[in-house]
Amino acid sequence: MEKITDRKQVICLSLLFAAVYMVSYITRINFGAVIAEIVRETGLAKSALSPAITGSFITYGAGQIISGICGDKIPPKKLLFFGLLATALMNFLIPFCQNPIQMTVIWCINGFAQAFMWPPLVCIMARLFTSRDYATSVVMVSWGSSLGTILIYLISPLLIVSVGWKSVFVCAAVIAVIMALILQKYCINVSPIKKEKQEINTKQPVKFITPVFCVILIPIIIQGAIRDGITTWLPSYLTEVYNMSSASSILSGVILPIFTLACLQIVSFVYKKVFKSPVACSGAFFAMGAIFCLALRIIAGRSAVGSLIFAAVATAAMHGVNFMLICILPSFFQKTGKVSTVSGILNSCVYIGSALSTYGIAVVAEKLGWNSALSLWTIIALIGTTICYLSIHAWRKNYGDK
């Protein structure tokens, strides 16, 4: 397929994709954003509500693989459109749930619907844009996750105070429907990859799954565990340790994506100018995350502001790792014709970690206390750092650098 070279069109499409990704976050992380208020209002335990988020991570991760394969065979625009409509319906149904079991079922379905967002987006960008425009566009699209998080953590407290936590889900559903209609009108149709096999250079051998590819899946799982573990449970941590109100603790979560936006710009610059290897760059940001997780543990219970800042930097570092291993790595596989499939596999591993951490941190915090949870994040961040640095040579040998 012929690449788009018109700068205005590239920017407009990138902004559209960023908006889609932003809405996907609004309709996915809103449960985690208001869980502290649900606990407060209903009296349910964190461990009773956390399976809804954990289950959605599991179905999201499993759906990533299915979505990735479909993205290389079915027009990705269709996957995005129906994914948005499905997540809108699930968000609308959550306020009508009568117990945690119903919430878990609905939110698991929502997780599966959300899986049909990222791999199709990566597929469309890889097919429409040159490698240089892809690198620029994927940064813009990544902004969508941070902007969506900021909106949720800004608007949720206002809606909770004025209307109640259920209105957060209703508003998210309306936004998803509007986004689906905009996407349907302005997104370019990309034909299935099977119709363009002749464009793939079959003479040059390409590598798909190798031992180092499988090893890299472990740091991906780890960064997902730290990133989403902190994002999900920071409001509860601030509420319980520093006696902040639910609305205030949720609002404090705005600082996390602000730090993430800055980190995305830094990691993109550092990758291009310093490392040129996504694995080496990931190792550096893992080390940064480990340092600030340790700092978060050291000042636990002493400073709410310090805890918030250290948590924000640690989360931003994990988003930097995520950008390298989830956004940049798939572009190394264009010659295989399986960019969407690779993207789905990689992204599914993120949410294995997310699922383990979301439920595990709730249990650890309830049984052993928050200090143990903070120590756990530090330890696994160090493990991620070690694996990345040990894999640099093998990655370069198999896939090279850019």
Side-chain angles (χ1 to χ4, degrees):
M1 183 173 182
E2 188 176 349
K3 304 290 185 180
I4 295 174
T5 56
D6 180 73
R7 295 301 304 161
K8 183 178 179 180
Q9 191 174 12
V10 169
I11 292 173
C12 288
L13 284 171
S14 297
L15 291 174
L16 173 64
F17 300 149
V20 171
Y21 201 44
M22 178 186 72
V23 172
S24 78
Y25 260 69
I26 289 173
T27 51
R28 174 152 50 98
I29 69 168
N30 49 353
F31 198 108
V34 302
I35 192 170
E37 176 62 18
I38 298 176
V39 168
R40 188 197 67 79
E41 184 176 312
T42 64
L44 295 169
K46 293 190 297 292
S47 55
L49 291 170
S50 63
I53 302 176
T54 301
S56 72
F57 284 148
I58 293 172
T59 55
Y60 182 85
Q64 286 289 319
I65 299 176
I66 298 173
S67 172
I69 295 172
C70 291
D72 288 325
K73 298 176 184 281
I74 298 171
K77 178 179 175 179
K78 288 185 178 179
L79 298 178
L80 287 168
F81 178 74
F82 288 110
L84 285 168
L85 291 183
T87 196
L89 177 60
M90 295 306 109
N91 271 266
F92 181 76
L93 290 176
I94 277 290
F96 298 98
C97 293
Q98 301 298 314
N99 54 62
I101 295 177
Q102 291 177 358
M103 288 183 175
T104 299
V105 172
I106 292 298
W107 214 240
C108 283
I109 298 173
N110 186 64
F112 188 78
Q114 289 281 338
F116 290 85
M117 305 284 184
W118 180 250
L121 280 175
V122 171
C123 181
I124 292 175
M125 289 187 290
R127 303 279 301 286
L128 292 181
F129 301 150
T130 63
S131 15
R132 182 175 181 178
D133 286 337
Y134 173 87
T136 302
S137 179
V138 79
V139 174
M140 294 177 66
V141 173
S142 297
W143 293 347
S145 63
S146 297
L147 294 174
T149 304
I150 290 172
L151 286 174
I152 276 295
Y153 280 91
L154 277 176
I155 296 173
S156 293
L158 299 177
L159 290 174
I160 287 172
V161 171
S162 59
V163 187
W165 63 265
K166 294 182 180 180
S167 62
V168 175
F169 294 97
V170 176
C171 288
V174 173
I175 292 172
V177 172
I178 293 173
M179 189 70 251
L181 297 176
I182 293 174
L183 176 80
Q184 185 68 11
K185 182 175 181 179
Y186 294 106
C187 182
I188 294 177
N189 257 321
V190 175
S191 57
I193 191 72
K194 63 183 179 181
K195 294 183 180 179
E196 299 183 5
K197 284 185 178 178
Q198 66 271 18
E199 295 185 10
I200 300 173
N201 183 1
T202 56
K203 294 182 180 180
Q204 182 177 354
V206 290
K207 300 170 183 177
F208 182 25
I209 304 296
T210 63
V212 69
F213 177 87
C214 296
V215 170
I216 290 299
L217 300 181
I218 299 174
I220 292 176
I221 292 172
I222 290 173
Q223 68 85 18
I226 299 172
R227 185 196 70 178
D228 290 324
I230 294 177
T231 300
T232 299
W233 292 116
L234 182 61
S236 295
Y237 171 73
L238 295 175
T239 299
E240 295 177 16
V241 175
Y242 297 103
N243 297 316
M244 294 176 65
S245 67
S246 296
S248 296
S249 64
I250 292 172
L251 188 59
S252 68
V254 173
I255 197 173
L256 271 67
I258 291 176
F259 274 70
T260 297
L261 279 172
C263 187
L264 287 174
Q265 295 304 113
I266 294 171
V267 73
S268 178
F269 176 82
V270 170
Y271 169 61
K272 293 175 183 177
K273 300 295 182 180
V274 181
F275 292 101
K276 296 183 172 63
S277 165
V279 177
C281 192
S282 296
F285 279 86
F286 253 126
M288 175 181 169
I291 291 171
F292 281 91
C293 282
L294 178 60
L296 180 62
R297 169 63 184 86
I298 292 173
I299 68 164
R302 301 178 184 177
S303 171
V305 174
S307 294
L308 179 58
I309 292 174
F310 290 158
V313 177
T315 305
M318 292 305 102
H319 275 279
V321 175
N322 187 78
F323 178 74
M324 285 291 103
L325 302 183
I326 301 302
C327 301
I328 299 298
L329 247 62
S331 64
F332 282 75
F333 297 86
Q334 288 195 55
K335 291 180 180 179
T336 66
K338 296 183 180 295
V339 172
S340 181
T341 300
V342 170
S343 177
I345 293 173
L346 298 178
N347 213 20
S348 68
C349 290
V350 175
Y351 292 93
I352 293 175
S354 299
L356 292 173
S357 179
T358 303
Y359 181 73
I361 292 303
V363 174
V364 170
E366 286 183 357
K367 296 189 177 299
L368 301 178
W370 280 108
N371 286 346
S372 296
L374 302 181
S375 298
L376 181 60
W377 281 330
T378 304
I379 293 169
I380 63 175
L382 289 172
I383 293 173
T385 305
T386 303
I387 293 175
C388 282
Y389 278 119
L390 292 177
S391 303
I392 292 173
H393 176 71
W395 175 266
R396 283 175 174 157
K397 182 179 179 181
N398 285 274
Y399 301 103
D401 292 333
K402 287 191 176 182

